[in-house]
């Protein structure tokens, strides 16, 4: 899908906002091509980045693609920006892409502090004694869990991690079944199980609204199946080298966009749980955090070279920081 070429039409305050056209010939190309898997966190985060870029005179576009397709498209320079390179869940795709296109991709670093992946269970399952992934295959727990792990879509980093665990019999999971659907499908199963008091284990992560709405616990991961440090994850921003060279100003902004896991969980809740438009959730967050926005825009200009903060503050009606 394509983001609108106007800035926004929102009813947040009965307000219609339009981006101003550059006053002079811009030095950077206007088009910025984003990719995002169908995950609420990156959807809102990409909407926020796109909103800022459009305010500065760019023309962001978004395609909803899986992570494995995104890596391939970036290597072909068919996309410019990916803000959902979740490591180590996507480690295989990430490393293969950089080996193949070492001179074609750039890693701008982590954009979410405090992210993690892991097995999660309802609090009542944890209270019944299941605290570690080491204990999953214990018959006391495995039978009540129907030897089934719920997960998101095939082709995701989480799917790769879980399928490798089954193949390698990690934690005795070799004879377990993976129920792989989608994020909404998995969480629907979680919601139903918790409502009925039934046992369930699933692949979970933060940031996400599940950590706000559900009383869940993460299992210990002594074999580092989900990665080191208790499943600690980076969510990295990738750009093509061609984009970084042709868009140094936009790249600077993207490099400076960082959030806490709590920040993004709130955004995800607004979009995915409350079912609000991602642009509306992004704008609300920007208005609630003007000092953070000003830091994002440090050294950044509009496409025609004006300082970014005064323009963004005026068009988005942000309060003083």
């Amino acid at each position: 899908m394509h983001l609108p070429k106007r800035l926004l039409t929102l009813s947040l305050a009965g307000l219609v906002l339009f981006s101003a056209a550059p006053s002079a010939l811009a030095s950077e190309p206007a088009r910025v091509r984003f990719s995002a898997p169908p995950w609420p966190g990156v959807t809102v985060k990409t909407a926020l980045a796109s909103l800022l870029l459009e305010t500065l005179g760019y023309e962001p576009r978004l395609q909803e693609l899986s992570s494995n397709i995104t890596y391939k498209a970036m290597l072909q320079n068919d996309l410019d920006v990916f803000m959902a390179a979740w490591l180590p869940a996507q480690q295989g795709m990430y490393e293969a892409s950089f080996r193949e296109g070492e001179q074609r991709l750039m890693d701008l670093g982590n954009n979410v502090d405090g992210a993690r992946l892991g097995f999660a269970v309802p609090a009542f399952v944890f209270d019944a004694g299941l605290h570690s992934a080491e204990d999953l295959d214990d018959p006391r727990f495995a039978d009540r869990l129907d030897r089934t792990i719920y997960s998101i879509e095939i082709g995701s980093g989480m799917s790769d991690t879980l399928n490798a665990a089954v193949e390698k019999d990690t934690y005795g999971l070799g004879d377990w079944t993976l129920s792989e659907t989608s994020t909404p499908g998995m969480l629907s199963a979680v919601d139903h199980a918790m409502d009925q008091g039934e046992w369930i284990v699933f692949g979970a992560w933060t940031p996400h609204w599940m950590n706000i709405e559900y009383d869940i616990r993460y299992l210990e991961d002594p074999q580092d199946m989900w990665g080191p440090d208790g499943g600690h994850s980076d969510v990295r921003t990738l750009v093509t080298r061609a984009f970084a060279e042709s868009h140094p100003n936009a790249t600077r902004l993207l490099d400076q966009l960082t959030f806490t896991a709590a920040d993004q969980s709130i955004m995800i809740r607004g979009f995915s749980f409350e079912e609000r438009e991602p642009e509306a959730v992004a704008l609300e967050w920007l208005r609630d955090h003007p000092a953070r926005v000003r830091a994002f825009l440090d050294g950044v200009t509009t496409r025609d070279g004006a300082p970014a903060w005064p323009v963004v503050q005026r068009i988005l009606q942000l309060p003083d920081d």
Side-chain angles (χ1 to χ4, degrees), residues 133-201:
E134 289 275 19
D135 299 324
L136 279 171
D137 206 40
D138 185 319
R140 294 175 300 156
F141 306 127
D143 292 344
R144 297 194 67 176
L145 292 166
D146 198 26
R147 296 185 183 272
T148 299
I149 299 167
Y150 289 81
S151 178
I152 59 174
E153 66 273 4
I154 294 172
S156 66
M158 175 176 286
S159 172
D160 291 348
T161 297
L162 286 170
N163 277 281
V166 171
E167 182 179 342
K168 298 175 183 176
D169 197 29
T170 307
Y171 296 130
L173 299 177
D175 59 347
W176 282 55
T177 298
L178 296 181
S179 177
E180 298 180 288
T181 54
S182 63
T183 299
M186 182 188 77
L187 291 178
S188 177
V190 172
D191 187 71
H192 175 78
M194 294 185 70
D195 187 58
Q196 298 298 314
E198 298 172 353
W199 282 40
I200 190 169
V201 61

Side-chain angles (χ1 to χ4, degrees), residues 5 62 69 76 102-103 112 119 128 162 181 235 286 305 318:
K5 295 193 177 179
L62 172 63
I69 293 175
Q76 299 300 318
E102 183 178 358
Q103 301 304 316
V112 179
F119 288 118
L162 286 170
T181 54
V235 186
L286 292 168
L318 307 186

Side-chain angles (χ1 to χ4, degrees), residues 48 52 130 180 197 220 249 287 290:
L48 187 150
L52 291 174
L130 179 54
E180 298 180 288
E220 296 175 5
N249 182 63
R287 287 177 171 167

